Amino acid sequence: MSDASLWAALADPHRRAIVALLLERPRPVGEIVEACGLSQPSTSKHLRVLRDAGLVRVRQDAQRRVYALDPAPIAELDAWLAPYRKLWSASLDALGRRLDETATEKATAPGEPSDEEDTDTSTPSSKD
């Protein structure tokens, strides 16, 4: 299995949906077909690509084929993504701090009515 085959296998949205289903638990082909809304032949082709990439394993259970995720390739992808996650984490932390500052500035801005103040500016009508 190569990195290229892993990425190529995960590039397709139907295969990512299958991987997401298998994340919950192993499933027979029939359940995958039903959950994905694809034809059985199409689902089988996607499963073959995932199996060839090493992302899923298959076992025979009587007349059924049951597919499960293989965690090893997912761990390899996670290790590859780790340095990039650090970049995003720092960026997201900075964004969070800026949003907190903005919220604090808005809450303490002078002349702004607070949520508790009555902001009704209508004039009372005169009744004769």
Side-chain angles (χ1 to χ4, degrees), residues 37-98:
L38 300 172
S39 68
Q40 195 280 329
S42 179
T43 301
S44 292
K45 287 178 185 178
H46 287 300
L47 287 167
R48 184 177 58 232
V49 171
L50 292 170
R51 188 178 63 236
D52 290 347
L55 288 163
V56 299
R57 298 182 301 239
V58 62
R59 69 176 166 81
Q60 198 73 28
D61 181 26
Q63 299 298 334
R64 302 182 319 164
R65 299 181 116 207
V66 178
Y67 284 82
L69 279 181
D70 185 341
I74 303 293
E76 289 176 25
L77 291 175
D78 183 58
W80 187 87
L81 288 168
Y84 301 96
R85 192 175 301 112
K86 290 178 186 175
L87 290 172
W88 274 106
S89 180
S91 296
L92 291 174
D93 288 346
L95 175 62
R97 285 191 300 275
R98 181 63 186 134

Side-chain angles (χ1 to χ4, degrees), residues 22 25-33 47 64-67:
L22 296 177
R25 63 180 167 78
R27 295 175 186 263
V29 175
E31 279 187 33
I32 298 169
V33 167
L47 287 167
R64 302 182 319 164
R65 299 181 116 207
V66 178
Y67 284 82

Side-chain angles (χ1 to χ4, degrees), residues 92-109:
L92 291 174
D93 288 346
L95 175 62
R97 285 191 300 275
R98 181 63 186 134
L99 291 173
D100 289 344
E101 290 169 5
T102 303
T104 302
E105 290 168 4
K106 276 188 163 185
T108 59

